[in-house]
Structures are given as C-alpha cells and as structure tokens.
Amino acid sequence: MPNMRVHPDLSIVIPAYKEETRLGPTLRSYLDYCRNAGRSAEVTVVDDGSLDGTSRVVENLAGSYPELRLIRLADNRGKGYAVRTGIVNSRGTRILFADADGATPITELERLEAAIAAGADVAIGSRAAEASDVTVQARPLRRIMGRTFHRLVETLTVRGILDTQCGFKLFRGPVAHALFSRMRMSGFSFDVEVLMMAQRQGYRIAEVPVNWTHQPGSKVNLVSDSARMAWDLFTIRRRYRRGEYNAPHLTPWSASSAETAPVSQP
C-alpha cells in the first residue's frame, strides 16, 4: 500500500476527453512508477465531459489504486478548464500535469524534478530543446505549425521558451496554485497564459528536453485549433494589460461547485 499523506509529495493531474482507449495504459504506467519508487502521490483524472467510457476506466482502476481519484465535469469545457480544475484541487508539494496519451514517459519526471531541485519554480518538458539522450518523434505538420505558433508567442506573450505547449509541466505546489487560480483560458492556449504569468511574476522557469512520441488519436486539430490559439494570444495580452491576472479567479473552477463531482478519491 502506498504511503498516502494529507499533503503528498507529488500530485499528478491528467485531463481527459474521450480517452477511453488511451488512458488506461498511461494511468497504469504512472501509478506503477510512483508505487515502485515509493512515492507519496495522488493521481487525479479530470474527465472533461466525455460521453465514452473515460470515467469508467478510472473507476475500474481506483479499486486497486486508492491514490487515484476522478473529477468528472458535467460538460466539455476545454483542456485548460480541466487542468485548472485538477490543480486547484491538488494537495501535493509538487504538481505535475501530463497528457492522457502518455506521449511523454513518466520517467521523464526525474528530469523536471532535477530542475526544481536546482532552484526552478516551474519545470516544463520541451520537444524543441535538444539533448543527446532525448528523442522526439513528431509529425512534420505538427513541427511546422509549432514553429509558426512559437513566433507569435515570442512576439505577443512569452519570450525565451522554445516549446510552450508540451503537456508535461511540473510546478512547486504553491506556485501552481498561485498561477492556476488566476488563469482564464479554457482551451489549449492556457499553457501560454500560465507561463506568461510566471515570467511576469518573476518565477524561475526551466525548459527541460524530454523524450516524446506522437500517439495516434489526438483531439487537436492542427489547423483550426492552431488558428484559435493564435487569436487567444491577443486575448491573453489584452487581459494582462488590463490587470485581470492580478487577483484569483476561482469560481466556478473548484470541484465543490455544481459543475464537478469527485467520483472516487482516496
């Protein structure tokens, strides 16, 4: 039985939308890794209004893994909304959010933790930063769209970061709560919003090369979603200039609200 505490050493948040087929192997990998390493951990899956068996996958595993819990959103609200819901309800000293497809192996957490131990407040996995022991297998179109989006990000919001969108980011717990409690964006552009706040508030961000492999079944439309995210950058910039990130914006993100319901928790 894992060593569970009121405040675990690590919280892992996994947003999931229609992930019935991909979520199970990812969860088993993450949960077994934490157990084998003797980690005090909680793993929270936020089902973003899925109509398939996504929640059932979590419920079936929860009987064997009491450190696993499910938060089910009544409607599909977007990845950013789901991640924020999970993070503001996490208790860990450090908080990781990771994608349901398992494109980044959980063992890459050790690279991010090394950066935190060296003084970073936020450690983000990167598919663009290079290292001799890292391999990134991405589709050519994703690489092209990623480079184009990066140029806009550099111009409008976040400077000096090569890959803002990799779904594998680790935060010191208090830093995660400070940032995500102020977040506004519900869609895929939330990464940029959070990193911009972190930079402007003086938090130290470490960009860490990680192994990453494209997984079939992505819910991202590289054309339409990229266009929407590009427009979102202007919204984020405008909100920052208006001072909208100066205070928390919690309602209705808390799992205690009518829109979310913890189904199984330790």
Side-chain angles (χ1 to χ4, degrees):
M1 182 67 63
N3 178 24
M4 292 299 298
R5 304 175 186 172
V6 175
H7 297 287
D9 295 332
L10 176 67
S11 293
I12 301 175
V13 174
I14 300 177
Y17 177 62
K18 295 182 179 179
E19 291 290 359
E20 178 181 14
T21 59
R22 303 195 298 179
L23 181 60
T26 299
L27 282 178
R28 290 186 184 89
S29 173
Y30 280 35
L31 290 160
D32 288 343
Y33 171 85
C34 291
R35 283 195 171 188
N36 293 337
R39 302 292 300 263
S40 168
E42 63 176 3
V43 178
T44 301
V45 175
V46 182
D47 183 346
D48 187 20
S50 303
L51 298 178
D52 65 355
T54 295
S55 287
R56 187 167 57 250
V57 171
V58 183
E59 292 168 337
N60 290 340
L61 284 172
S64 300
Y65 298 93
E67 63 268 47
L68 175 63
R69 65 176 182 164
L70 169 67
I71 296 175
R72 181 185 293 163
L73 302 183
D75 302 298
N76 176 234
R77 304 302 298 270
K79 183 180 179 181
Y81 193 105
V83 172
R84 178 175 178 173
T85 299
I87 286 181
V88 300
N89 287 284
S90 292
R91 304 163 294 178
T93 303
R94 295 174 180 176
I95 301 175
L96 172 78
F97 80 77
D99 286 342
D101 62 2
T104 304
I106 185 56
T107 50
E108 300 299 278
L109 171 64
E110 297 165 17
R111 299 178 189 267
L112 303 191
E113 288 187 317
I116 296 288
D121 298 299
V122 181
I124 64 173
S126 176
R127 299 158 296 185
E130 297 182 355
S132 60
D133 59 343
V134 164
T135 300
V136 174
Q137 299 178 12
R139 292 180 294 172
L141 179 58
R142 179 184 284 271
R143 291 182 184 273
I144 294 169
M145 298 298 289
R147 285 195 291 267
T148 302
F149 182 70
H150 172 256
R151 285 194 287 270
L152 281 173
V153 169
E154 277 275 331
T155 301
L156 296 172
T157 53
V158 178
R159 297 184 181 276
I161 293 178
L162 299 175
D163 182 7
T164 58
Q165 301 309 116
C166 181
F168 199 76
K169 294 181 173 67
L170 181 68
F171 301 78
R172 297 185 189 274
V175 173
H177 286 282
L179 295 173
F180 281 84
S181 67
R182 288 166 168 77
M183 203 187 89
R184 301 296 200 275
M185 306 306 294
S186 296
F188 294 114
S189 58
F190 78 95
D191 299 81
V192 174
E193 184 180 39
V194 167
L195 291 174
M196 188 194 72
M197 283 191 286
Q199 279 193 340
R200 304 297 172 89
Q201 293 178 28
Y203 291 119
R204 180 179 172 187
I205 303 172
E207 186 170 13
V208 182
V210 293
N211 287 289
W212 189 92
T213 302
H214 167 72
Q215 303 295 319
S218 173
K219 307 303 183 297
V220 179
N221 184 303
L222 290 178
V223 177
S224 62
D225 286 327
S226 294
R228 188 176 298 111
M229 288 166 63
W231 179 254
D232 285 347
L233 297 180
F234 293 93
T235 301
I236 293 168
R237 183 181 176 92
R238 183 175 66 253
R239 284 176 170 168
Y240 176 78
R241 288 180 168 178
R242 290 177 177 176
E244 294 183 24
Y245 298 120
N246 294 338
H249 179 69
L250 287 174
T251 305
W253 304 81
S254 171
S256 63
S257 75
E259 295 189 342
T260 64
V263 177
S264 176
Q265 63 183 41

